[in-house]
Amino acid sequence: MTDLPARDQLATHEVLNQPDPEGDRDLWAGDAALREAIAREGGQADTLAPYGATLGSAEMRAAGREANDHAPELVLFDRAGRRLDEVRFHPSYHRFMQTSIAAGYAAVAWEDAPGGHVTHAAQVYLASQVEPGHCCPLTMTYAATPALRAAPEIAEAWAPKLTSRRYDPAMTPVDAKQGATLGMAMTEKQGGSDVRANTTSATRDGDHYRLRGHKWFCSAPMSDGFLTLAQAPEGLTCFLVPRWLEGERNSVQIQRLKAKLGNHSNASSEIEYHDTLALRIGDEGQGVRTIIEMVHHTRLDTAMAPAGLMRGALSEALHWVRHRAAFQRRLIDQPLMRAVLADLALDVEAALILGLRTARAFDGPTPEDRAFARIAVALAKFHSNKRAPVVTYEAMEALGGMGYVEDTPLPLLYREAPLNGIWEGSGNVICLDILRTLAKEPLAAETLRAELMAATGSDPRYDAALKAHEARWPALPPEAEARWFAERLALLLQASLLIRHAPAAVADAFTATRLAGEAGRITGAMAGSDVSAILDRLG
């Protein structure tokens, strides 16, 4: 059954010059840069094609709006005053969870098929364009699998459920479930990024531990368990806290849901542990070393999500300008608008190409792959998240006042844009981590330099920019210059990839505007680029 069109002949006026609803938008078929990158980096196109088509359908995009318009509800007690500590979600949220889990969002990287991490990263990119909130629990579930390897017996019980393609929101112990999700609860009030300042205590109770303390930020509190840090007798230790026990609820008490700027479909909370049963992951005192494997993989997702947010915002702007006229010309035909959109497209493609190249390093088996993944994911996370708020705002401005109205997806995407830059290490933390990695892991520096050198000899502007970077910082910079240093490294790495793999028009415009200074500091302040060739890639 097809819905009849809305009436456009109204009592006082006729509705003109307004784009019709877009209908289905195939996020895979309409994205040439994504398809090319997946073929090059070894991702699973047969998995991504149906996922992109499903997510881009008008029905799923409407469900994404519903999941955000109807926020999760905290239910602390039943009618008799017994504690429930539950969060209840709109059916549209559950629909996204079911769709993405069935597509392998949390599983595909661990199924021993080629290109698993590349495929997963592309799924993050696709999902973030439509409903980014549900990505949070799935990202943590994906990232928890390698961390659990520090406790083989626990991994044997939990890993098959975390990598299941069945969504099971039932409140029951993990061994009775068809699939499970895992969250994280590390941050405390007094420490923030400095998790070594955590005060939550862990006391041994037979084969298990009992935790007591407060966690300032626990995302996805309806997960089946949480990886968490607490102070055991030998120091900071990693634990798995099951949400549900046999015949009872573990004493994870939700204090409140966070009233966040965005990410409205996803519940984030403060929780307390009241002698809560926990399973140790790894040795006592090795909590940071154990949890870092999870953090490393969540950073891949925080590097890919901004690329998806930017692409989603750009797609909305493109639909508007292709069907809206001003001053007797379609907006898409006006030179200044075309310059703005092409400039935005450069940011999107650069973020995408770097994110998926990084994901291929996650798939790689060699020490060189692992070293490159360590440095590249930090550079990608830092730079792409700094661009996301700018790109989403400029896309909003392309719609004018309409872009500022909740009838469009732009406000949702704009509110989401700062999130991944804060989560799993804010900008300063990531920049300092980049400096530490380059100082302590010579192989990371070597693999990064090899990637940069691979593009030399193709564009003298790139060669000059690389030479200038090395002259400015022959060694690591002082801490106060870490952001400048990281920005230039990220731009050089993006340019190297674009020069080698993107169409000439894209690589030329990126090198000219980002490295050679042939542009201003605001979007669209550029000239001399093949704007038509850049825009033609956007579907």
Side-chain angles (χ1 to χ4, degrees):
M1 176 178 167
T2 303
D3 290 337
L4 294 173
R7 294 173 55 232
D8 56 14
Q9 301 289 331
L10 307 183
T12 60
H13 66 286
E14 180 181 357
V15 179
L16 298 171
N17 199 26
Q18 285 282 330
D20 290 331
E22 185 176 3
D24 294 340
R25 177 193 299 164
D26 192 325
L27 305 185
W28 169 261
D31 196 329
L34 173 62
R35 298 195 309 275
E36 292 167 9
I38 290 301
R40 182 174 60 252
E41 307 297 358
Q44 300 170 19
D46 57 344
T47 294
L48 294 168
Y51 186 59
T54 297
L55 288 178
S57 69
E59 185 178 0
M60 286 300 283
R61 297 206 316 275
R65 295 292 301 276
E66 288 180 341
N68 283 272
D69 289 343
H70 302 278
E73 177 188 2
L74 176 60
V75 183
L76 289 178
F77 301 94
D78 70 5
R79 59 184 292 175
R82 305 177 186 92
R83 286 202 74 107
L84 291 174
D85 294 291
E86 293 178 11
V87 180
R88 296 175 184 170
F89 297 88
H90 189 270
S92 289
Y93 175 85
H94 291 294
R95 183 176 182 180
F96 272 93
M97 290 290 287
Q98 183 176 24
T99 298
S100 291
I101 285 177
Y105 188 117
V108 69
W110 314 116
E111 292 175 336
D112 296 326
H117 288 286
V118 171
T119 305
H120 164 79
Q123 290 177 324
V124 177
Y125 169 78
L126 292 168
S128 296
Q129 297 178 44
V130 180
E131 205 301 285
H134 83 290
C135 295
C136 178
L138 297 184
T139 285
M140 291 186 292
T141 302
Y142 149 78
T145 294
L148 292 183
R149 292 170 184 163
E153 291 185 4
I154 296 173
E156 184 178 359
W158 281 77
K161 304 302 174 76
L162 300 179
T163 56
S164 167
R165 293 197 179 206
R166 300 289 296 274
Y167 176 51
D168 185 351
M171 291 173 281
T172 190
V174 70
D175 59 1
K177 301 195 66 161
Q178 296 178 323
T181 59
L182 210 62
M184 192 188 320
M186 291 195 294
T187 307
E188 298 186 7
K189 294 176 183 176
Q190 72 285 346
S193 297
D194 184 9
V195 294
R196 295 184 187 277
N198 283 7
T199 62
T200 295
S201 64
T203 304
R204 184 178 283 278
D205 180 9
D207 294 334
H208 308 309
Y209 288 74
R210 296 286 174 175
L211 306 188
R212 192 167 188 84
H214 180 275
K215 293 295 181 179
W216 182 241
F217 213 97
C218 171
S219 211
M222 288 302 284
S223 299
D224 295 290
F226 309 105
L227 286 185
T228 194
L229 294 173
Q231 298 288 353
E234 297 298 321
L236 193 65
T237 304
C238 181
F239 295 93
L240 171 60
V241 176
R243 190 73 165 83
W244 322 107
L245 305 176
E246 192 64 44
E248 64 176 310
R249 298 166 186 253
N250 205 1
S251 53
V252 177
Q253 296 192 6
I254 303 175
Q255 303 303 299
R256 62 171 174 167
L257 298 186
K258 297 287 193 180
K260 298 169 293 184
L261 170 67
N263 199 243
H264 289 165
S265 68
N266 174 48
S268 300
S269 64
E270 291 177 42
I271 64 171
E272 285 188 352
Y273 295 137
H274 290 262
D275 298 325
T276 307
L277 185 140
L279 313 174
R280 195 183 75 208
I281 307 294
D283 295 334
E284 282 195 14
Q286 299 299 312
V288 172
R289 178 175 294 181
T290 303
I291 204 76
I292 200 68
E293 194 66 27
M294 184 177 187
V295 172
H296 178 57
H297 285 82
T298 56
R299 282 186 178 176
L300 176 61
D301 289 27
T302 60
M304 287 306 307
L309 295 173
M310 290 188 282
R311 175 64 201 205
L314 180 57
S315 295
E316 292 296 330
L318 285 168
H319 178 66
W320 179 266
V321 302
R322 285 168 175 164
H323 298 88
R324 175 82 165 176
F327 310 111
Q328 292 77 53
R329 283 190 299 175
R330 286 192 313 158
L331 291 175
I332 189 62
D333 296 327
Q334 302 194 22
L336 190 53
M337 179 62 77
R338 293 174 66 79
V340 170
L341 295 171
D343 208 1
L344 298 179
L346 295 177
D347 280 320
V348 173
E349 186 154 354
L352 175 64
I353 199 170
L354 176 54
L356 291 180
R357 170 64 186 94
T358 301
R360 177 159 66 87
F362 276 71
D363 279 320
T366 69
E368 289 79 8
D369 289 319
R370 186 166 179 82
F372 182 71
R374 177 83 170 87
I375 187 64
V377 77
L379 289 168
K381 171 178 163 33
F382 173 70
H383 192 265
S384 295
N385 281 297
K386 293 305 179 190
R387 298 305 304 160
V390 177
V391 171
T392 51
Y393 158 71
E394 289 287 358
M396 181 185 294
E397 189 176 293
L399 275 68
M402 193 65 194
Y404 199 66
V405 175
E406 296 286 350
D407 291 341
T408 76
L410 271 302
L412 184 154
L413 295 170
Y414 185 64
R415 288 191 296 268
E416 194 78 17
L419 172 65
N420 293 280
I422 296 169
W423 190 33
E424 297 305 351
S426 57
N428 287 352
V429 170
I430 296 298
C431 286
L432 295 176
D433 190 50
I434 289 169
L435 298 189
R436 281 192 297 270
T437 299
L438 294 175
K440 295 182 178 181
E441 298 186 29
L443 191 56
E446 292 172 17
T447 56
L448 175 59
R449 179 164 172 75
E451 284 285 332
L452 297 176
M453 293 300 296
T456 56
S458 300
D459 188 320
R461 297 167 301 180
Y462 173 81
D463 295 351
L466 179 57
K467 184 177 180 180
H469 176 84
E470 293 176 336
R472 178 67 183 78
W473 293 292
L476 293 178
E479 181 179 314
E481 296 179 16
R483 283 193 172 213
W484 185 13
F485 175 80
E487 178 189 29
R488 294 302 291 179
L489 264 184
L491 288 170
L492 285 164
L493 184 54
Q494 288 177 331
S496 173
L497 292 166
L498 292 170
I499 288 169
R500 286 179 283 153
H501 304 303
V506 174
D508 176 77
F510 188 89
T511 303
T513 56
R514 273 61 171 176
L515 297 181
E518 298 173 21
R521 295 186 64 186
I522 58 174
T523 302
M526 63 185 213
S529 298
D530 189 347
V531 168
S532 294
I534 297 169
L535 295 178
D536 286 346
R537 287 175 62 71
L538 299 176

